[in-house]
Amino acid sequence: MSDTMQGQDPEQVRALAKMLEDGASQLESVKSITSVAVWGFDGAGPNVEQMRGEWESQHAPMLGTVAESLTTYAQRARANADAQDQTSNTYDGGGFAGVSTQGSSDTGGDDDGGGVLDWLGDKAGDLWDAGGDAVDWVGDKAGDAAGWIGDRANDLWDAGGNAVDWIGDKGSDALGWLGDRGSDVLGWLGDRGSAIGGAFMNVGDAGLQLWDATGGAILDGEWPRTTEVLASGIRLAGTAVGLGLTAGSLGMFDPKVFDDGDPYAGDPKSVPLPRPPSSVSELALGVTDSYKIDDGNVRITTVDGPNGPRVIVSVPGTEAWNPSAGDNAMDLTGNLVTAGGSRSTMSQAVELAMQNADIPPGAEVMMVGHSQGGMTVADLTSDPGFVSQYNVTHAMTYGSPIDSAHIDPSVSVLEMQHQHDVVPRLDLGDSRFPFLPGGQNESANHTSVTFDDPGSAWDAAGNHDHSKNYPDSMAKSNDPGLAAYEQGLRDSGFLTDDQSRVSAVDVHVGRKN
């Protein structure tokens, strides 16, 4: 053997083994990272499934095989290097003997292929190229995945934007709803406060009414009337009870006891074939007709004549007895206010009805009323301004307590009652408080007629009946005062049996409370 070195350099072989091991480690890292990327993102669909299938069936195994082969070759290279060291240590010539890829000595012949280093280099290159192809595939698929993920991210961003818009809209709706509820709460609290404040004002109005009936009357130079004092006292006591109930419930329960509120009157409605006012009894039946239409109805009848129109205002009596004041002003509250000497909502509502009916200027007007309606007639005709504004010339009441009324002396009055009708006696004959004798306050134009009872003296309802008993008593009466009054109406043009000359409207009146 020559002393020239032959075979492989152990250190170069070991360096090659280290490179192969590093390459295997890098390929395993690529495989692991790529597997996480392939399976770790939230994707679905045919393309994604195809990519994952190719990765699992082809490229991941290929990278694993390449890495495993590189590791094997590194182990063999390191084994050859060790064998070379062992052979060199026993060789006398100091040279290097060849070592096969299986780790055995090659003591003779040349290695035309460049030796084990070239062979390992070629295999490593082939494996590295295969790994590179897998890495390129991974890169391509990663790019596709990144693109897909980007698209999904854009979709999610758009969806998120839409969700934000939706949430914004719903948030705005929610804020609007909360605002409405807040407004409702404030409105509710305002209503409760208004109810309590209204109850206090109602007590104040009742107190002023009692003062007018007592101290105010004395200051005006008149002794207080018994009926006015009693009615005003009852109203004040009732309003105090109502205030206690309203304030005690923090405004949640507002009975409006004797709260007369504010008046209103509706639009006139034409009456087909109204009753011709041919007599005093027919005038009374005209009031009954108004009763029958609806609660809170006032009928206004016009009679055309050669001397101009004549207008008859028919006012029904009490239709509700509940101390809790409601829409209908023809009730107990209206009675107490009028009987107490104050201008009631009912009286104001009748005046509004006359305004709405467009009574011709200058036309002579007659007011007719039963029970509370008669009290309303007396109240209005006691006002000289009202009498002159509407040219009121006649007033007729029946079953009404009007003895304390100061009716304008220019108005010709017919007051009628049954002998034992209790209602017209409620004014106690205009007695002075406390129950001092008084006298009826009548002018020269005031005619009073008392009829025999239609039945028993104890039949309170029958003696106060407006639908039959009072009209019948009027028709049968021979009282000269009644006959003279009826003739005066005929002469003035208020009475006629000619249907063609008669027209009428109904006006709904009431209380805003």
Side-chain angles (χ1 to χ4, degrees):
M1 298 286 297
S2 70
D3 56 0
T4 302
M5 188 184 309
Q6 292 182 350
Q8 51 190 343
D9 186 342
E11 294 306 320
Q12 291 183 5
V13 173
R14 286 190 178 94
L16 174 61
K18 181 66 169 61
M19 292 175 59
L20 293 175
E21 286 178 341
D22 290 344
S25 177
Q26 291 177 12
L27 289 176
E28 287 290 348
S29 296
V30 170
K31 176 184 175 183
S32 177
I33 293 171
T34 304
S35 291
V36 171
V38 169
W39 291 101
F41 75 95
D42 184 13
N47 292 335
V48 174
E49 295 302 324
Q50 179 182 358
M51 177 189 73
R52 287 172 173 166
E54 290 179 2
W55 169 252
E56 289 296 325
S57 64
Q58 301 178 31
H59 304 290
M62 180 184 295
L63 286 175
T65 300
V66 171
E68 184 178 355
S69 297
L70 289 176
T71 300
T72 299
Y73 293 149
Q75 293 172 350
R76 291 179 180 177
R78 189 172 283 108
N80 284 338
D82 292 340
Q84 180 66 59
D85 285 339
Q86 183 177 4
T87 301
S88 298
N89 290 334
T90 59
Y91 181 55
D92 292 338
F96 293 100
V99 180
S100 74
T101 59
Q102 300 298 321
S104 61
S105 289
D106 184 4
T107 58
D110 294 331
D111 186 359
D112 296 336
V116 69
L117 290 178
D118 292 338
W119 181 87
L120 287 173
D122 293 340
K123 294 299 180 182
D126 294 341
L127 291 171
W128 188 259
D129 290 340
D133 292 340
V135 170
D136 291 340
W137 179 91
V138 170
D140 294 338
K141 294 304 179 183
D144 294 341
W148 184 91
I149 292 172
D151 292 340
R152 299 298 76 74
N154 288 331
D155 293 340
L156 289 173
W157 183 261
D158 293 339
N162 294 333
V164 169
D165 292 341
W166 181 88
I167 291 171
D169 293 339
K170 297 306 176 186
S172 178
D173 293 342
L175 290 176
W177 183 88
L178 290 174
D180 291 341
R181 298 297 76 74
S183 178
D184 292 342
V185 170
L186 291 176
W188 183 86
L189 292 174
D191 290 342
R192 303 291 75 76
S194 178
I196 295 174
F200 273 106
M201 292 181 62
N202 192 29
V203 172
D205 290 342
L208 288 175
Q209 178 180 315
L210 181 59
W211 164 254
D212 289 339
T214 54
I218 293 174
L219 292 177
D220 289 340
E222 296 184 359
W223 195 251
R225 265 63 173 179
T226 300
T227 300
E228 292 182 359
V229 174
L230 290 176
S232 299
I234 292 171
R235 185 187 178 205
L236 178 59
T239 57
V241 171
L243 172 59
L245 294 172
T246 303
S249 65
L250 299 180
M252 297 182 66
F253 176 59
D254 183 14
K256 297 186 180 296
V257 178
F258 302 148
D259 186 350
D260 206 23
D262 298 312
Y264 75 83
D267 296 328
K269 296 181 179 180
S270 179
V271 178
L273 297 176
R275 180 188 301 273
S278 58
S279 64
V280 168
S281 62
E282 290 297 317
L283 287 171
L285 288 172
V287 175
T288 297
D289 291 341
S290 185
Y291 265 113
K292 293 178 180 179
I293 295 301
D294 197 3
D295 287 348
N297 185 74
V298 173
R299 176 161 292 186
I300 300 175
T301 303
T302 301
V303 179
D304 292 325
N307 298 320
R310 300 292 184 265
V311 179
I312 302 167
V313 180
S314 302
V315 187
T318 306
E319 296 173 333
W321 292 96
N322 193 332
S324 179
D327 174 78
N328 191 354
M330 300 175 184
D331 63 353
L332 179 58
T333 299
N335 273 308
L336 290 176
V337 174
T338 303
S342 295
R343 178 60 57 86
S344 68
T345 292
M346 178 61 189
S347 296
Q348 298 175 65
V350 170
E351 185 174 1
L352 288 177
M354 295 171 66
Q355 294 177 12
N356 292 352
D358 293 328
I359 295 174
E364 294 185 9
V365 175
M366 178 181 187
M367 309 283 294
V368 183
H370 168 252
S371 192
Q372 183 185 357
M375 295 169 63
T376 299
V377 167
D379 180 33
L380 291 172
T381 54
S382 296
D383 180 358
F386 174 84
V387 169
S388 61
Q389 178 182 356
Y390 288 100
N391 193 22
V392 181
T393 59
H394 294 78
M396 176 179 127
T397 70
Y398 51 104
S400 303
I402 66 168
D403 290 341
S404 298
H406 297 266
I407 297 178
D408 192 279
S410 66
V411 179
S412 180
V413 180
L414 175 61
E415 177 192 358
M416 297 170 284
Q417 60 188 20
H418 282 126
Q419 185 175 1
H420 291 101
D421 185 356
V422 176
V423 176
R425 312 289 180 179
L426 292 177
D427 56 11
L428 304 177
D430 194 32
S431 70
R432 272 57 170 172
F433 186 81
F435 302 100
L436 298 176
Q440 293 184 1
N441 184 21
E442 296 181 357
S443 67
N445 288 336
H446 194 121
T447 301
S448 296
V449 178
T450 300
F451 304 120
D452 292 335
D453 295 330
S456 169
W458 305 103
D459 184 6
N463 292 331
H464 192 64
D465 174 58
H466 66 82
S467 62
K468 184 178 186 300
N469 291 343
Y470 263 115
D472 285 352
S473 296
M474 296 175 197
K476 296 174 182 177
S477 175
N478 294 319
D479 186 273
L482 188 153
Y485 189 87
E486 185 173 79
Q487 185 59 48
L489 290 176
R490 189 168 282 107
D491 293 342
S492 297
F494 284 101
L495 302 183
T496 181
D497 56 6
D498 186 353
Q499 178 73 63
S500 65
R501 295 172 53 193
V502 180
S503 61
V505 293
D506 285 328
V507 181
H508 179 72
V509 299
R511 174 190 295 121
K512 293 185 292 185
N513 213 342

